[in-house]
Amino acid sequence: MTTNPDFILADVPLSSRFLLGTAGYPSPQVLREAIVASGAQVVTLGLKRQLAGGAGDNGYIEIIKACGARLLPNTAGCRTAREAITLAHMARELLDTHWIKLEVVGDEHTLQPDPYELVEAAAQLIQDGFEVFPYCLDDLVSCQRLLDVGCRILMPWGAPIGSAQGLLNPWALRTLRARLPEATLIVDAGLGAPSHAAQAMELGYDAVLLNSAVAQAGDPVGMAGAFRAAIEGGRLAWRSGLVAPQPMAVASTPVSGRPFDL
């Protein structure tokens, strides 16, 4: 397990800052092994896509539960606030959890979240007693609106879902971290390499959520372990204090005076 006993997610203490998606794995066995390798204690579950399969869950949900991870059902595939609210209530009834990853997509090409429908849905779900994890843009104002309606956790995208492009706008993510110090911030979507996850953690983010980069890797189990190490390394680097970039060379070896600052 990771060494982050200080991570509290929605009042639940966790030792891992890696949240893992469960879609698109080559087999249930690979999914099971990837969850173990990742060390993830929270895994997402696309309820709408499972129901759309038309053949029940084929034991899929039980496989995930057997790994000991906490379920975070999501509203992937929803296009309106009303649709997402209805699906969230179904998820709570079926899976016995008030946690919901709220996804309301506003553009089919980029799968960009719809900030207006997202705020409307979040406000209603929080009134209904849910802990809402909104998948959102990295826009400061729309994130503030989500906090205003009661969200404690924000999940801004790094890049479009499944694109593996990494963090397209580090400045925006860094601004969110600086302006919203009390919010739990989790980078979600668009990561393709462990270095992308490390970069997110080095920005001071609390955790990372990803799916495709592991599920579609040549060796999903190995990749899950690689992301786990990167997330731990990035967090440790942030806690240790990164050296600020300099515009010019700075000699690392003094040519006179004391070799150490005492």
Side-chain angles (χ1 to χ4, degrees):
M1 283 293 175
T2 54
T3 54
N4 318 299
D6 59 333
F7 182 38
I8 307 296
L9 182 63
D11 302 320
V12 175
L14 299 174
S15 58
S16 172
R17 294 176 182 269
F18 188 1
L19 286 69
L20 187 64
T22 57
Y25 286 80
S27 71
Q29 181 63 26
V30 172
L31 169 60
R32 184 183 299 110
E33 293 177 4
I35 293 173
V36 172
S38 72
Q41 295 171 296
V42 177
V43 297
T44 62
L45 173 68
L47 185 61
K48 186 173 184 178
R49 288 172 180 156
Q50 284 301 114
L51 295 175
D57 62 32
N58 291 324
Y60 172 78
I61 294 174
E62 294 307 317
I63 290 172
I64 297 172
K65 285 183 176 178
C67 295
R70 190 181 186 100
L71 290 178
L72 176 59
N74 68 50
T75 62
C78 290
R79 299 296 185 268
T80 67
R82 177 50 52 192
E83 189 180 10
I85 292 168
T86 299
L87 190 60
H89 280 270
M90 291 176 61
R92 183 164 66 178
E93 184 173 337
L94 290 171
L95 302 173
D96 192 28
T97 176
H98 70 294
W99 285 15
I100 190 72
K101 183 190 171 194
L102 180 60
E103 294 187 35
V104 185
V105 167
D107 179 72
E108 295 299 328
H109 180 68
T110 62
L111 298 180
Q112 177 174 321
D114 184 323
Y116 305 102
E117 295 289 319
L118 200 62
V119 170
E120 179 182 339
Q124 183 61 56
L125 289 170
I126 287 170
Q127 287 184 23
D128 295 342
F130 285 87
E131 186 73 59
V132 178
F133 296 60
Y135 163 61
C136 58
L137 297 173
D138 53 14
D139 173 71
L140 175 60
V141 175
S142 61
C143 284
Q144 287 176 320
R145 296 293 85 79
L146 289 165
L147 296 177
D148 290 343
V149 299
C151 292
R152 300 190 293 172
I153 299 154
L154 300 173
M155 307 180 80
W157 70 352
I161 291 174
S163 67
Q165 297 181 67
L167 307 186
L168 292 182
N169 194 343
W171 179 87
L173 294 172
R174 188 179 295 110
T175 299
L176 288 182
R177 180 69 289 172
R179 296 286 292 120
L180 308 174
E182 302 302 321
T184 297
L185 297 180
I186 301 172
V187 166
D188 178 15
L191 305 188
S195 58
H196 301 156
Q199 183 185 11
M201 299 304 292
E202 290 169 1
L203 291 175
Y205 273 64
D206 296 288
V208 166
L209 190 157
L210 59 92
N211 187 158
S212 300
V214 169
Q216 297 178 16
D219 175 6
V221 178
M223 189 61 74
F227 268 100
R228 176 182 182 173
I231 290 167
E232 292 176 3
R235 178 66 180 179
L236 181 58
W238 179 77
R239 290 172 63 95
S240 301
L242 293 159
V243 175
Q246 303 294 328
M248 300 292 288
V250 178
S252 59
T253 303
V255 295
S256 62
R258 295 179 301 181
F260 300 103
D261 291 328
L262 299 175

